[in-house]
Amino acid sequence: MSLKEYRPGTRFPGVIGRTADQSSPAWPEPVRPREGSPNVLFIVLDDTGYGHLGCYGSPIATPNIDALAADGLLYRNMHTTALCSPSRACILTGRNHHSNHMGCLSNGSTGYPGTDGYMPFENGMLSEILKDRGYSTYCVGKWHLSPEETNTAAGPYDRWPLGRGFDRYYGFLGGDTHQYYPELMYDNHQVEPETTPEEGYHLTPDLVEKATSFIADAKQVAPNKPFFCYFALGAMHSPHHVPKEWADRYKGKFDTGWEAYRQTVFARQKKLGIIPADAELPPADPDVQDWDQLSADERRLYARMMEVFAGFLEHTDYYIGELVEFLKDIGEYDNTLIMLISDNGSSAEGGPTGSVNECRFFNNVADTVEDGLKHIDEIGGPTTFNHFPWGWTHAGNTPFRRWKRETYRGGSTDPFIVTWPGGIAAKGEIREHYGHIVDMVPTVLDAIGIEAPASLRGVTQSPMEGVSLLSTFGDAKATEVHLTQYFEMLGHRSLYHDGWRAVCPWPGSSFAGSGRKFGDEISAQMLDTLDASGWELYHVAEDFAEARDLAADEHDRLIAMIGMWYVEAGKYNVLPIDSRGTQRIALERPKVAADLERYRLYPGTQSIVAAAAPRTLNRPHSFTAEVVIPDGGADGVLLSFGGNDGGFTFYVQDGKLCYLHNYLALDYFYVKAPDLLPSGSHFLSMQFEPTGKPDFRNGKGVPGKVTLLVDGAAVASSDLPYTVPIRLGQGGAMLVGQDSGAPVNPEYKPPFRYEGKLKRVIVDVSGEAVVDHEAEMKVYLRKQ
């Protein structure tokens, strides 16, 4: 006899008597997907340009991604928002980035509906929709969609992955992470990698392993239950980390420079049919140095940085291949709708010279060619936090101009591959249709055969703003469905409409040409000037790469498109136009908890992200650890902040109280007590007292005197000539009782946990701090 079921919320159809023998049961109907519903896999690359993948004309080997394109469809006209968090919000909701309140980064918010960083629950994510339809839902990798101040153990967790419809999560919450020493979250709690770099650890294979285990966990119990997996790699964002043998595969391959790369890729793209045969390549960017004018040392260093990037991408491709092969092994590949996308164009965050330690840039300390050459054999390894120069960025976005953060096509036109063997008959075909990442969710829902819900978890849902591209799956000549799309990113604006593209660059078409720098503010008067004479116009249906500005010839069309941009801006909460850099960092934002003058910190707790940690830089501060030291002594870290690229650590080594201030891996300032610590209960303290003023412009924080104390009595002191001024390491997290990850101190091995009993650490920051808001803003806008 079959079970009788009923839909929850409807009348109970069974019989309830006085006893069981007089009754007949009925059960609430479980949520079941429609028979044969496909799995859905989103693979999201970071900072990968249009000209980086092999199937898009690159010389970099990406055979597994190329195989997905050969087994499905390659789109040559797909678009993103040009920045990280905004794009990811669109990918998961099918709404525009300002509609998602994510007009900028989740950690670069302003107090307006389009940019406050708090994604509204009426914009349901695909994970929430499919979970309600009986899918298993997994998020693996980069999140960067919760306000930074909520990324602590105090929460709230409602905008973390598990709060937005994902059953399982493994990855990192911020905009980037160290690939060898990542800051990992498992579901809602922090974890450490199971192995070390010396044992072969790297984040990418770890993420693949977790994705496959999540899928296998459910499939072995419920093989017919489909899954949605949002697989968002840390690659290809900086740091460009990869084992040396992968980078060495490209030795000498980039010695001819970035302009030669552009020309080679451009020719390949035409040969492959990725771009039209009559496409024109825009001229070399005015901000990019002429390769032939560089010194031999510069060319050698910059070529190696690109070799490392290329090896990193091939390494990433290899492990994407492992994930796809797993789906084949378990018989799920044919019935999996795979969409591979990059969140924006290639990144120019390495600046004109690249970097081996990005933390120096945030602190106004320039990387030098001499220092880069000193560490050239380490680039890509765990001791660096590297990024290539923006000459390679420009080349990686071939055939387009410019890069990430700007809404020229170089920042906003990206690789997009769709593979679904059981649902798409076409193999290896190119689609020319215009698309935007807001179209991904509507396309998935259309492919599965379900409508966007009117409500989710009792919250009435907003309309989808993307359109379904399902018609293009089977028909290369399908009618265009996405006719108009606005773009705005940090004051850089553009509009696509029916084959035309109007662009208003800010601070200009180049820094050199405009005489301005990134983050310069657009005033109301300046906006009037820009709207009168700052717009460019391209007929991209005939001029694929935006090489010919037709603003003067098509003035009436341009005026109409500017007006259309403002209509779209009003519709999607884009205003006010805000290009600010310096001022944003000083804005007051809501906090889970107010800043304190004294913090009580405890061992065995999660690391504290910079947004919530005590602010110790450029002010008087002290640490006091309450410990019980066993007979024979106890070594280990009491408190640490940062990583091997800069930070501090307060610790005991060889039985002696010590402090180290790591100045950006350039100088190491140690203070060490001469005598062994006695056993028993004690208060171990460090006091820092500024002795001068900071020099932010030249990358020097306040000088100061460090005093070490035991039970209030001074046992050692030393003067620090300068300190880190703005950012303590890329990790930027405070740890109690250990220094896990890339260690601040090269004299011990992580995590160097304190061996005695550590009851608590009191951090006092009651002294007034000196802050450089302009420099701090660089941190927010580079970690994306």
Side-chain angles (χ1 to χ4, degrees):
M1 180 179 175
S2 62
L3 292 174
K4 182 181 290 187
E5 297 180 343
Y6 65 98
R7 295 183 65 184
T10 62
R11 181 177 175 275
F12 177 71
V15 176
I16 300 177
R18 291 191 306 154
T19 59
D21 62 328
Q22 294 178 330
S23 307
S24 61
W27 298 86
E29 182 182 59
V31 177
R32 297 188 182 97
R34 195 171 65 181
E35 188 69 27
S37 294
N39 308 304
V40 179
L41 171 62
F42 284 179
I43 301 174
V44 183
L45 296 168
D46 207 322
D47 291 359
T48 303
Y50 196 87
H52 275 150
L53 302 180
C55 54
Y56 279 83
S58 171
I60 301 172
T62 56
N64 294 292
I65 295 174
D66 298 352
L68 290 176
D71 208 16
L73 303 173
L74 181 152
Y75 284 75
R76 75 181 195 184
N77 211 7
M78 191 63 168
H79 297 79
T80 63
T81 70
L83 201 62
C84 170
S85 301
S87 286
R88 291 161 193 268
C90 298
I91 288 170
L92 284 169
T93 67
R95 283 86 166 184
N96 285 302
H97 55 307
H98 291 90
S99 297
N100 285 316
H101 296 211
M102 203 65 73
C104 185
L105 304 176
S106 63
N107 49 348
S109 57
T110 59
Y112 300 99
T115 55
D116 62 29
Y118 283 81
M119 293 182 64
F121 297 111
E122 57 264 31
N123 291 5
M125 291 189 176
L126 184 59
S127 48
E128 295 168 307
I129 297 170
L130 295 185
K131 184 175 183 176
D132 275 6
R133 293 301 186 114
Y135 273 66
S136 299
T137 54
Y138 312 121
C139 179
V140 179
K142 175 173 171 175
W143 183 238
H144 208 199
L145 290 173
S146 49
E148 189 176 40
E149 61 268 18
T150 70
N151 292 345
T152 73
Y157 297 92
D158 54 354
R159 285 180 170 82
W160 290 29
L162 268 59
R164 293 305 309 249
F166 288 102
D167 296 326
R168 309 285 299 276
Y169 174 59
Y170 184 81
F172 56 100
L173 294 173
D176 65 1
T177 195
H178 203 290
Q179 297 289 309
Y180 296 103
Y181 297 108
E183 297 107 30
L184 290 172
M185 289 288 174
Y186 200 139
D187 295 335
N188 281 351
H189 66 279
Q190 190 170 29
V191 295
E192 295 293 332
E194 294 180 358
T195 56
T196 66
E198 293 76 19
E199 296 168 323
Y201 180 84
H202 188 281
L203 179 59
T204 300
D206 189 12
L207 295 179
V208 170
E209 181 182 331
K210 288 301 186 296
T212 56
S213 68
F214 286 173
I215 294 167
D217 280 347
K219 285 294 183 181
Q220 66 187 358
V221 176
N224 295 325
K225 185 178 183 181
F227 66 82
F228 166 50
C229 180
Y230 175 72
F231 184 69
L233 292 144
M236 295 299 295
H237 199 290
S238 64
H240 301 154
H241 278 159
V242 70
K244 187 173 183 294
E245 60 268 23
W246 291 84
D248 286 350
R249 298 180 183 191
Y250 290 90
K251 276 196 171 181
K253 296 288 180 67
F254 305 108
D255 289 355
T256 54
W258 33 65
E259 186 57 32
Y261 181 102
R262 287 183 79 220
Q263 298 293 340
T264 298
V265 171
F266 186 64
R268 288 185 179 186
Q269 289 172 334
K270 286 191 173 183
K271 184 177 181 180
L272 292 169
I274 304 301
I275 63 175
D278 61 354
E280 297 178 32
L281 185 66
D285 194 284
D287 290 328
V288 174
Q289 308 107 301
D290 183 338
W291 183 266
D292 293 334
Q293 298 301 312
L294 298 173
S295 69
D297 281 346
E298 287 174 312
R299 292 197 297 268
R300 182 161 68 95
L301 177 62
Y302 300 162
R304 182 55 180 173
M305 288 176 167
M306 185 58 188
E307 292 168 8
V308 170
F309 177 89
F312 189 21
L313 181 52
E314 185 176 350
H315 177 267
T316 301
D317 175 84
Y318 176 85
Y319 285 101
I320 289 174
E322 282 204 348
L323 177 57
V324 173
E325 190 62 30
F326 164 77
L327 296 178
K328 292 178 179 179
D329 288 345
I330 65 172
E332 295 290 341
Y333 173 70
D334 286 351
N335 197 34
T336 300
L337 171 56
I338 301 173
M339 292 183 171
L340 182 145
I341 187 80
S342 176
D343 63 352
N344 45 243
S346 185
S347 167
E349 292 155 18
T353 62
S355 177
V356 295
N357 181 350
E358 274 196 332
C359 198
R360 294 175 189 166
F361 171 86
F362 301 146
N363 289 283
N364 294 331
V365 175
D367 273 275
T368 64
V369 173
E370 291 75 20
D371 187 65
L373 289 171
K374 186 168 68 174
H375 297 284
I376 193 168
D377 292 331
E378 301 172 49
I379 295 174
T383 61
T384 64
F385 207 102
N386 51 294
H387 196 300
F388 56 29
W390 63 22
W392 292 121
T393 307
H394 182 46
N397 290 326
T398 303
F400 306 120
R401 64 176 70 213
R402 301 301 282 179
W403 39 59
K404 171 182 176 180
R405 292 197 308 229
E406 300 183 14
T407 68
Y408 282 118
R409 298 198 72 181
S412 63
T413 307
D414 290 285
F416 182 57
I417 294 166
V418 179
T419 305
W420 183 18
I424 300 176
K427 306 291 182 186
E429 295 186 7
I430 294 172
R431 291 293 183 262
E432 300 181 6
H433 299 80
Y434 189 93
H436 188 275
I437 45 177
V438 292
D439 300 332
M440 291 172 66
V441 168
T443 303
V444 168
L445 298 182
D446 200 6
I448 294 173
I450 63 177
E451 294 184 357
S455 67
L456 279 171
R457 306 189 203 181
V459 178
T460 300
Q461 293 295 286
S462 65
M464 289 285 169
E465 293 166 0
V467 295
S468 172
L469 301 177
L470 186 65
S471 61
T472 69
F473 284 8
D475 185 0
K477 298 185 181 301
T479 302
E480 289 279 1
V481 290
H482 199 133
L483 300 179
T484 304
Q485 180 63 46
Y486 84 92
F487 297 82
E488 190 281 332
M489 189 53 61
L490 296 161
H492 204 289
R493 296 176 286 160
S494 57
L495 179 90
Y496 169 83
H497 179 69
D498 198 18
W500 290 80
R501 211 162 184 276
V503 184
C504 188
W506 181 259
S509 57
S510 68
F511 302 130
S514 69
R516 300 188 182 99
K517 64 181 184 298
F518 176 75
D520 282 356
E521 183 175 1
I522 299 174
S523 66
Q525 181 179 358
M526 199 175 296
L527 183 62
D528 291 339
T529 302
L530 287 170
D531 284 341
S533 60
W535 286 82
E536 302 165 3
L537 182 66
Y538 302 95
H539 192 190
V540 289
E542 297 180 358
D543 175 22
F544 188 75
E546 296 178 328
R548 301 187 301 275
D549 180 8
L550 302 179
D553 299 332
E554 294 277 353
H555 183 70
D556 290 346
R557 183 188 298 276
L558 178 60
I559 294 302
M561 291 187 70
I562 295 171
M564 192 180 299
W565 186 91
Y566 275 101
V567 170
E568 297 296 291
K571 189 187 303 182
Y572 298 117
N573 288 328
V574 178
L575 301 177
I577 296 168
D578 190 350
S579 64
R580 292 178 298 170
T582 304
Q583 298 93 325
R584 282 194 184 208
I585 193 65
L587 296 176
E588 186 175 356
R589 295 180 177 87
K591 292 186 176 181
V592 176
D595 287 337
L596 304 173
E597 292 188 346
R598 287 173 62 84
Y599 293 79
R600 293 176 179 268
L601 309 181
Y602 301 95
T605 54
Q606 288 186 186
S607 63
I608 307 171
V609 297
R615 294 178 177 267
T616 61
L617 293 179
N618 304 304
R619 72 193 315 165
H621 59 272
S622 66
F623 314 140
T624 298
E626 185 179 356
V627 301
V628 179
I629 303 172
D631 292 340
D635 287 354
V637 171
L638 303 170
L639 187 71
S640 67
F641 199 125
N644 60 6
D645 51 349
F648 67 74
T649 176
F650 179 45
Y651 62 105
V652 179
Q653 190 169 33
D654 298 328
K656 300 174 183 179
L657 189 60
C658 307
Y659 174 83
L660 165 66
H661 189 93
N662 175 342
Y663 178 75
L664 307 173
L666 294 170
D667 291 305
Y668 297 86
F669 301 123
Y670 288 93
V671 185
K672 298 183 178 182
D675 299 323
L676 295 174
L677 290 167
S679 61
S681 297
H682 298 283
F683 293 96
L684 310 180
S685 304
M686 187 287 303
Q687 293 179 350
F688 177 87
E689 188 66 34
T691 56
K693 295 182 178 180
D695 181 4
F696 291 121
R697 184 175 295 276
N698 293 304
K700 301 291 177 65
V702 296
K705 181 177 182 179
V706 170
T707 303
L708 301 181
L709 306 97
V710 177
D711 298 326
V715 294
S717 66
S718 183
D719 291 321
L720 276 57
Y722 43 80
T723 54
V724 174
I726 297 148
R727 178 81 177 185
L728 283 167
Q730 285 292 79
M734 181 171 279
L735 286 161
V736 183
Q738 61 179 315
D739 182 9
S740 59
V744 177
N745 190 344
E747 292 187 351
Y748 57 61
K749 291 185 177 180
F752 201 46
R753 292 186 177 90
Y754 184 64
E755 298 167 333
K757 183 176 181 180
L758 175 59
K759 294 184 177 180
R760 64 185 63 83
V761 178
I762 306 298
V763 179
D764 188 298
V765 289
S766 55
E768 185 175 353
V770 181
V771 179
D772 181 347
H773 294 303
E774 179 177 3
E776 285 195 357
M777 188 57 191
K778 291 181 182 178
V779 177
Y780 283 92
L781 293 176
R782 293 257 297 213
K783 289 180 70 63
Q784 52 192 293

